[in-house]
Amino acid sequence: MASWLSSRDVSGFKFIFFLAIIYTIISLIVHSVLHMKFITPLSIDAPPDRFSEARAIHHIAVLTKDDRQEGRPGLRKAATYIKEQLEMLKERAESNIRIEVEETTVNGSFNMIFLGHSISFAYRDHINIVARISSADLQETDPSVLINGHFDSPLGSPGAGDCGSCVASMLELARVTVESGWIPPRPIIFLFNGAEELFMLGSHGFMTTHKWRDSVGASINLEASGTAGPDLVCQSGPGSWPSQVYAESAVYPMAHSAAQDIFPVIPGDTDYRIFSQDHGNIPSLDIIFLLGGYYYHTSFDTLDKLLPGSIQARGENLLSILKAFTNSSKLQSARERESKATTNDYKDERAVFFDYLSWFLIFYSRRVAVVLHSIPIAIFFVMPFLLHFWDSRSRSCFAIFYDFVKGLLFHAAGIILAIIFPIILSILQLFFSSYALGWFAHPYLAFLMFIPCSLVGLLIPRTVWGCFPLSQDVSVIKKSEEALAEEARFWGAFGFYACLTSAYLVAGLSGGFLTFSVSASMLPAWIFFSLSIKSSDHQSPRSAVFYVIPLIPCLAYSVYFGGFLTQFLIEKMGMMGVVPPPYGYYVPDVVVAASVGVVTGWCVGPLIPVCSHWLARSSILQLLSHISVLALALSSQFFPYSNAAPKRVVFQHTLATTDVNRIVDSSYEFSVVDSNSLLFLFKYAPEVAKELHIGQELSFETANMSHRETWMGIFPVPFLFSQSLKFPARSDGILKRYRYFPHLSNYKPHSVSSDKSRRVYLEFYLGDLEEVWVAVLNITGPLSSWSFADNLLSVPETIDGGPPSYIIRLSGNSQRNWTFWLEASSSDDLRVEVAVVDQVLDDEARRLKGLFPDWADVIAYSSFMSSYIF
């Protein structure tokens, strides 16, 4: 070791090396858990009574051969394939098991708040495939368990993960149920719904029209926000019974009640909402693949991106959960739940539950949490009195408490600095880089940059601790000043986590176990440390090791949950939307830096009260700072995207039409959903820039901006956009392909009522468009009623400061015209803006799309827009 290092520096470096080994081992274990290394996928010739990932993969391979978007023939083929598989199971079933298979078309209309925006829906002829498996002596009144997954896929995506993996898992589950000899004691309904990506229409159709809907006593919704990793229970309820069933039955438990605190801030929603909240109040589980988010809703969501072991773990979990639900005495039909609505079983009480590295799951009720999570704060306030009596009353209770509060404030300052330092570094990095998200395709760069500087922030308060004297009089106490200071720092840190646990409790959140586990683990660590000090009679790295060892289980969980959360956030930063400039450029980097700081504080914070004695040395702080600076320099050498972490681009060919066969304007509109703007995109996609005649001088000040109302066909997604651009385009290809375009007209004279309100009768013709995904109507003016959603208007929206708008999305069979009426409260005009999304591109647009580099995922479609006054 260099001669300029003191013996304490040497000991500090040895100790940090020891900690590095521990965290490396923990990280390797966590990585193997999150990437399903401990799961052995079963082959296609596995025993018939076992769930086989290989058999499920075969289904996904078939489903992803054709595009499964609404309006495309592949969706019909997928429905046919699913039904055929179920019919084959029905033919092979024994006489003691009953299988009913139905293909249903669903129609309906309703209002919803989605992504914070008010939307109305009208849909028709969407396909659901429904199967019910039960014993031969089924009673129609028997409560059933519903398992749901959707077979449609989002625009431009093969949908292997989202949600081919869900459908394949359900088909294999149905096969196991039939061929294993297990006869479900209660019916199991398999709902393969064909319209989830259009905002949960398939599940809405089932819950409002199907004859079996009232028999459902529990539901399991399968979703995928990625292609792999933990199949996490993200939502559970109403009540704690669904999560309790999961806790008791899951083979590989993957659930955190804290996810229910986080999920509402993530853009998106699932069919769970329809079953458990909007239309059913059914006790439900929402189980979602969360990792592999780079590929979510992209053309890269293909079969090869599925992580081996993920579907196997999902299948074994689901089979066990289905058995538990069907055997539960608490499974009740809608009528039984209504009659027992006042019992404790169905009170909307959120339980606390979390898995430990998917090895086992800890579950306890909210009532238990109230008591359990209150213990740390009680201990924090009682300890000064106990220490006062244990030391023969030679110490003042108030002086001890003041020192504890000092320790709490210092620990809080360390946690805050652990968050602030990475944020500052991320902002500095953007000043010296030509683009944001430098870590996006290489997540290890985010950890390498932000963890060391976060550790510096954690340790800095320890370096100034000596500047603030203790409140206790050391001269009358039989303890050294260093021992008292260590005691104050420990109990202060303990009090910090105790206060956070109490805050979670008061806020009614379910994530209090995160800080409770830390405070609970610190107590045995402190006992071991204190015994070590007594035996060695002086402080040494050995005593700090004795403090660390009891904390290892807690640290492992912190790394597991924190690492998973950070990786999830990194992957989602590519699609979280754009905050308007100038601050939007910094937001994703700051969010990731702050999250790494929070996780670092959580994973290392419990060590600081004792271990900072060896770590808070100038030589170690300098080393950590140098690592962060080197990582910052290194990150600037990496391009933020790759074909494994693509940049998302939305490309819309906008065609303004009038009458039924005229195009008055044609343009290409582009937008992105992360902080690297279109200027970045065109800079690094020179062939696209050349085709669009974009020069080096392009800027948002001089470019032709695309307004938000132009993107109405995919409302409300455009609220994630900022600084979209518009370029002129030819319409020859579209005119050659189509003779007629969407058109809205009166189909009979309007009527006027006695209160002077007038009713306008309209017919909407979709022309001869071939692959219509959705049509969106934006209605402004004195609208007072309409024929949609049981004549109930949605809450009006305001787009870009315009007049109040009523947004209605129409989807389903495009071969028939839509007829409906609008009612105006006065003689003032009603204005209707129409946007129809067609998935067909002309040859020129298709060629332009092909010019984008392989690190860009381009969702491309045509949007036919027209405007009418009535």
Side-chain angles (χ1 to χ4, degrees), residues 660-695:
V660 75
N661 55 7
R662 290 181 55 208
I663 296 177
V664 295
D665 186 46
S666 175
S667 60
Y668 292 146
E669 324 266 343
F670 294 93
S671 196
V672 293
V673 289
D674 66 29
S675 56
N676 284 317
S677 70
L678 286 168
L679 301 184
F680 166 93
L681 176 68
F682 295 134
K683 176 181 177 181
Y684 292 99
E687 292 185 10
V688 178
K690 181 180 178 181
E691 182 70 18
L692 293 171
H693 307 291
I694 296 172

Side-chain angles (χ1 to χ4, degrees), residues 9 136 178 204 309 358 404 409 420 456 492 496 500 541 565 655-656 783 864:
D9 285 333
V178 172
H204 177 270
S358 77
F404 284 9
L409 294 175
I420 290 175
V456 172
F496 173 80
L500 285 182
L565 177 62
L655 299 126
L783 185 68
F864 294 82

Side-chain angles (χ1 to χ4, degrees), residues 171-193:
L171 286 172
E172 175 63 1
L173 275 172
R175 186 205 60 77
V176 173
T177 303
V178 172
E179 296 185 357
S180 65
W182 173 57
I183 301 175
R186 309 284 180 80
I188 301 174
I189 298 173
F190 291 82
L191 171 58
F192 300 86
N193 91 68

Side-chain angles (χ1 to χ4, degrees), residues 759-773:
R759 183 169 290 186
V760 181
Y761 300 91
L762 300 175
E763 182 173 27
F764 183 38
Y765 168 60
L766 287 163
D768 54 2
L769 304 189
E770 296 172 8
E771 296 182 354
V772 173
W773 189 59

Side-chain angles (χ1 to χ4, degrees), residues 739-813:
R739 291 181 59 194
Y740 303 109
F741 306 121
H743 186 69
L744 187 63
S745 60
N746 294 102
Y747 72 90
K748 73 175 186 179
H750 71 264
S751 61
V752 180
S753 65
S754 57
D755 61 358
K756 305 300 182 183
S757 64
R758 60 190 179 92
R759 183 169 290 186
V760 181
Y761 300 91
L762 300 175
E763 182 173 27
F764 183 38
Y765 168 60
L766 287 163
D768 54 2
L769 304 189
E770 296 172 8
E771 296 182 354
V772 173
W773 189 59
V774 71
V776 178
L777 278 59
N778 175 21
I779 305 166
T780 56
L783 185 68
S784 58
S785 185
W786 57 10
S787 56
F788 303 114
D790 296 327
N791 309 138
L792 297 175
L793 292 177
S794 57
V795 178
E797 287 280 313
T798 302
I799 302 176
D800 287 342
S805 300
Y806 298 88
I807 308 293
I808 176 80
R809 287 172 56 104
L810 309 177
S811 64
N813 188 342

Side-chain angles (χ1 to χ4, degrees), residues 445-554:
L445 290 174
F447 294 104
L448 199 58
M449 267 197 303
F450 300 135
I451 289 177
C453 66
S454 182
L455 291 174
V456 172
L458 271 176
L459 293 169
I460 278 185
R462 176 65 177 84
T463 64
V464 298
W465 174 272
C467 301
F468 299 87
L470 293 170
S471 301
Q472 300 174 72
D473 188 354
V474 180
S475 62
V476 298
I477 302 172
K478 297 178 182 180
K479 280 189 176 181
S480 67
E481 184 174 357
E482 178 58 32
L484 291 174
E486 210 151 53
E487 179 185 81
R489 288 193 296 269
F490 171 82
W491 287 108
F494 178 90
F496 173 80
Y497 296 112
C499 289
L500 285 182
T501 303
S502 299
Y504 269 107
L505 199 62
V506 171
L509 301 175
S510 303
F513 68 87
L514 299 170
T515 48
F516 172 77
S517 62
V518 173
S519 55
S521 300
M522 288 177 71
L523 290 175
W526 179 250
I527 293 170
F528 272 71
F529 173 73
S530 301
L531 294 175
S532 173
I533 291 291
K534 289 182 179 179
S535 63
S536 60
D537 207 30
H538 67 279
Q539 193 181 56
S540 68
R542 174 176 170 271
S543 58
V545 169
F546 274 92
Y547 178 79
V548 171
I549 290 174
L551 279 170
I552 287 177
C554 172

Side-chain angles (χ1 to χ4, degrees), residues 47-298:
D49 62 340
R50 296 291 304 278
F51 183 98
S52 163
E53 178 174 303
R55 287 190 282 254
I57 290 291
H58 172 74
H59 294 310
I60 300 174
V62 174
L63 291 168
T64 52
K65 284 180 180 178
D66 299 287
D67 294 321
R68 308 191 312 279
Q69 292 80 19
E70 170 60 35
R72 286 189 159 165
L75 188 64
R76 173 72 261 179
K77 290 181 181 178
T80 301
Y81 175 78
I82 293 166
K83 187 178 181 182
E84 287 174 350
Q85 294 298 307
L86 295 170
E87 293 287 0
M88 286 191 291
L89 284 179
K90 183 176 180 179
E91 291 174 6
R92 299 201 302 267
E94 300 289 340
S95 59
N96 57 355
I97 195 165
R98 178 178 173 184
I99 302 179
E100 301 161 86
V101 180
E102 293 185 358
E103 177 182 323
T104 62
T105 55
V106 292
N107 311 278
S109 185
F110 65 105
N111 300 325
M112 175 191 283
I113 301 295
F114 186 82
L115 294 179
H117 297 279
S118 177
I119 318 174
S120 298
F121 300 89
Y123 62 93
R124 64 188 184 192
D125 299 340
H126 288 306
I127 302 170
N128 284 343
I129 306 297
V130 189
R132 182 166 68 171
I133 302 178
S134 61
S135 63
D137 56 352
L138 162 76
Q139 301 295 317
E140 289 298 326
T141 56
D142 287 349
S144 57
V145 179
L146 172 74
I147 181 166
N148 169 75
H150 67 91
F151 60 89
D152 64 322
S153 58
L155 282 176
S157 176
D162 182 22
C163 207
S165 64
C166 310
V167 172
S169 299
M170 290 168 60
L171 286 172
E172 175 63 1
L173 275 172
R175 186 205 60 77
V176 173
T177 303
V178 172
E179 296 185 357
S180 65
W182 173 57
I183 301 175
R186 309 284 180 80
I188 301 174
I189 298 173
F190 291 82
L191 171 58
F192 300 86
N193 91 68
E196 190 272 347
E197 297 294 354
L198 291 165
F199 300 171
M200 301 160 281
L201 304 185
S203 56
H204 177 270
F206 176 87
M207 288 305 301
T208 53
T209 64
H210 201 276
K211 61 186 178 183
W212 295 336
R213 67 186 187 275
D214 289 334
S215 73
V216 178
S219 79
I220 303 169
N221 179 58
L222 301 185
E223 253 298 355
S225 186
T227 57
D231 201 24
L232 194 73
V233 174
C234 289
Q235 300 182 91
S236 173
S240 59
W241 174 59
S243 52
Q244 184 177 5
V245 170
Y246 182 90
E248 294 170 351
S249 59
V251 181
Y252 306 106
M254 293 171 272
H256 306 281
S257 54
Q260 298 185 120
D261 304 332
I262 300 170
F263 193 86
V265 305
I266 305 296
D269 225 323
T270 73
D271 286 322
Y272 167 89
R273 167 182 177 172
I274 300 295
F275 302 129
S276 69
Q277 299 167 6
D278 293 359
H279 295 280
N281 200 36
I282 299 169
S284 304
L285 294 173
D286 198 17
I287 303 179
I288 308 177
F289 277 156
L290 288 181
L291 293 185
Y294 289 128
Y295 315 118
Y296 174 66
H297 281 203
T298 73

